[in-house]
């Protein structure tokens, strides 16, 4: 008989931007989550803990070391459920529609966006070495600790103001493009003429000559360090200096003037659809995405940059940060659970908090789910779990939960069709 509730172990990715050693939530959870032969090196950055079926870092059953995808493929009707199988045919082969992660960000990730499905298929066909799958990658980030990100284009009047008061920024934009953008910056954000002008500004910025960028950044950082800024620069100056320290002379530093700076408290969330530029700057998050590892990069990175495809794929939606916020709602079945439901079919995330000794349940859903304990301990079904434990729950299963003496916090990613 196929078991539908069982422990799994994920895998850790070490990237340069990760938090160092035991400061990383990804490393903390990995060290307690049963990953074979994993010990924390306090001189090594740990960036991501992956939980899912993506072939780059596939999860395994804790009891047998069989890959999760192989186990699911042996009984997809039972574990995935018929509705999800109909909606996501690749699930027949054991592929979950979502990838669940813990990210620990010690320094900025790249200025990036993710391609929509058609572009992802095209890029994968052309450059499978760089774009390793044909899938899109909408994603949601929920803060575990205070978290800061660059997220989506600022309202155009804000960008226009920066172009007026930050000469080092304005000098990188050709005068004709600068004048055209300033002339239309007060139009409604959905106006096609404004979107085209914003695209021209961003494209000009991302393709500015490297030597000119280096000179302008030197002037900008020097001015900020000497106390020379105006009121409009107050909220961006520290990040400009910090990003230049992390990535000297990088064009991505200037993105603080075109992208929103978003600050989240624990439990707050943002969603980024295809074609939305962003860069995570610092903090620990629970991240959920469609099963893909496709990234278009253009700055703040030593990795390959694909400026032409990034620039051409963006939506150029310009709005204040609230446009990207996901507001959780209370679960109708449990007063202890919040539901984060972004506007895509691949995943939903819940967060359940219980006091010491309290009981509840991981409610039944029509599709598969993965849950990670991010605080405390509990009995989940027949499993004894603690911080870092990861559990797979098959379709249609309701699982009883009893928190330990210190209470419980658990995040759960799932899909329902």
């Amino acid at each position: 008989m196929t078991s539908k509730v069982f422990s799994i172990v994920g895998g850790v990715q070490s990237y340069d931007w990760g938090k160092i050693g035991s400061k990383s939530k990804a490393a903390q959870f990995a060290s307690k989550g049963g990953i074979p032969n994993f010990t924390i090196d306090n001189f090594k950055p740990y960036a991501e803990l992956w939980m899912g079926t993506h072939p780059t870092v596939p999860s395994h059953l804790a009891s047998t070391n069989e890959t999760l995808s192989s186990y699911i493929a042996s009984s997809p009707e039972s574990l995935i459920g018929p509705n999800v199988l109909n909606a996501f045919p690749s699930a027949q082969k054991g592929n979950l529609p979502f990838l669940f992660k813990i990210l620990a960000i010690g320094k900025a990730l790249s200025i990036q966006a993710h391609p929509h499905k058609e572009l992802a298929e095209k890029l994968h066909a052309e450059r499978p070495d760089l774009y390793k799958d044909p899938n899109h990658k909408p994603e949601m980030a929920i803060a575990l600790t205070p978290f800061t990100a660059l997220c989506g284009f600022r309202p155009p009047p804000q960008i226009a103001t920066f172009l007026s008061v930050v000469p080092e920024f304005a000098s990188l934009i050709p005068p004709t493009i600068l004048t055209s953008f300033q002339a239309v910056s007060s139009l409604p954000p959905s106006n096609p003429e404004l979107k085209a002008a914003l695209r021209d500004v961003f494209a000009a910025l991302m393709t500015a000559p490297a030597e000119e960028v280096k000179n302008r950044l030197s002037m900008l950082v020097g001015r900020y360090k000497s106390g020379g800024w105006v009121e409009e620069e107050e909220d961006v100056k520290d990040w400009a200096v910090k990003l230049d320290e992390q990535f000297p002379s990088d064009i991505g530093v200037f993105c603080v003037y075109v992208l929103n700076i978003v600050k989240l408290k624990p439990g707050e969330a943002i969603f980024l659809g295809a074609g939305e530029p962003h860069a995570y700057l610092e903090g620990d998050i629970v991240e959920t995405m469609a099963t893909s590892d496709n990234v278009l990069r253009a700055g703040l990175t030593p990795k390959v940059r694909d400026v032409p495809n990034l620039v051409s794929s963006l939506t150029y939606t310009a709005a204040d940060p609230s446009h990207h916020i996901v507001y959780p709602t209370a679960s109708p079945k449990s007063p202890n659970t919040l539901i984060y439901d972004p506007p895509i079919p691949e995943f939903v995330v819940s967060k359940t908090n219980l006091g010491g000794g309290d009981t509840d349940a991981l409610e039944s859903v029509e599709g598969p789910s993965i849950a990670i304990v991010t605080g405390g301990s509990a009995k989940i079904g027949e499993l004894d779990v603690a911080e870092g434990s990861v559990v797979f729950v098959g379709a249609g299963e309701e699982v009883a939960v009893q928190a330990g003496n210190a209470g419980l916090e658990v995040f759960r990613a799932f899909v329902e069709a």
Side-chain angles (χ1 to χ4, degrees), residues 74-379:
S74 69
S75 189
E77 285 283 340
S78 173
L79 295 172
I80 299 294
N83 290 343
V84 174
L85 285 174
N86 288 335
F88 302 97
S90 68
Q92 287 280 3
K93 297 180 180 179
N95 300 314
L96 294 176
F98 62 84
L99 177 59
F100 204 26
K101 293 183 180 181
I102 301 295
L103 266 61
I105 302 130
K107 70 176 186 179
L109 279 72
S110 53
I111 302 296
Q112 62 182 261
H114 305 299
H116 54 73
K117 189 71 168 71
E118 294 78 9
L119 179 58
E121 291 171 349
K122 176 177 180 290
L123 293 172
H124 177 62
E126 294 173 349
R127 291 288 307 277
D129 59 320
L130 185 59
Y131 301 104
K132 299 183 183 298
D133 58 70
N135 301 323
H136 67 164
K137 192 184 175 186
E139 63 186 43
M140 180 169 64
I142 306 173
L144 280 172
T145 63
F147 168 65
T148 305
L150 297 177
C151 182
F153 285 105
R154 291 177 176 272
Q158 290 185 17
I159 299 173
T161 296
F162 283 128
L163 286 167
S164 296
V165 303
V166 185
E168 299 88 352
F169 170 37
S171 66
L172 296 174
I173 311 301
T176 54
I177 293 176
L178 180 62
T179 300
S180 296
F181 177 77
Q182 297 281 31
V184 299
S185 61
S186 61
L187 292 174
S190 59
N191 183 281
E193 188 177 0
L194 175 57
K195 283 180 175 282
L198 178 57
R199 172 176 169 156
D200 289 344
V201 167
F202 189 68
L205 184 64
M206 291 294 100
T207 57
E211 192 61 30
E212 189 173 352
V213 171
K214 180 179 180 180
N215 292 337
R216 295 298 182 272
L217 268 178
S218 177
M219 294 168 60
L220 177 73
V221 171
R223 177 164 66 85
Y224 284 164
K225 287 184 174 180
S226 66
W229 63 82
V230 298
E231 181 181 356
E232 291 84 353
E233 297 172 280
E234 184 69 38
D235 293 336
V236 298
K237 61 180 178 62
D238 290 344
W239 272 112
V241 172
K242 188 171 185 176
L243 292 176
D244 184 63
E245 290 172 350
Q246 294 179 358
F247 298 92
S249 305
D250 193 296
I251 187 60
V253 177
F254 283 103
C255 284
V256 298
Y257 303 112
V258 295
L259 303 181
N260 292 298
I261 297 177
V262 179
K263 297 180 179 181
L264 301 185
K265 299 174 183 176
E268 295 180 334
I270 53 174
F271 172 74
L272 294 152
E276 296 293 344
H278 60 282
Y280 298 159
L281 301 182
E282 64 180 11
D284 300 272
I285 61 173
V286 174
E287 185 183 48
T288 318
M289 64 198 65
T291 302
S292 174
D293 198 26
N294 287 324
V295 181
L296 296 162
R297 300 180 180 87
L300 303 181
T301 180
K303 294 183 178 181
V304 175
R305 305 181 187 211
D306 191 348
V307 174
N309 277 315
L310 176 74
V311 168
S312 66
S313 68
L314 299 181
T315 66
Y316 295 98
T317 299
D320 64 44
S322 64
H323 176 76
H324 300 279
I325 299 295
V326 178
Y327 297 96
T329 58
S331 168
K333 297 183 179 179
S334 169
N336 303 303
T337 298
L338 294 175
I339 304 294
Y340 300 80
D341 191 1
I344 43 98
E346 283 87 354
F347 61 83
V348 179
V349 176
S350 67
K351 179 170 78 82
T352 299
N353 285 93
L354 297 177
D358 288 352
T359 60
D360 203 328
L362 297 181
E363 64 190 61
S364 169
V365 296
E366 293 182 1
S369 63
I370 293 176
I372 180 169
V373 177
T374 54
S377 63
K379 188 94 168 177

Side-chain angles (χ1 to χ4, degrees), residues 28-48:
Q28 291 173 28
F29 295 157
S31 70
K32 300 173 182 178
I35 296 178
N37 303 315
F38 178 82
T39 56
I40 297 176
D41 178 343
N42 278 316
F43 296 94
K44 183 176 181 179
Y46 295 98
E48 300 184 347

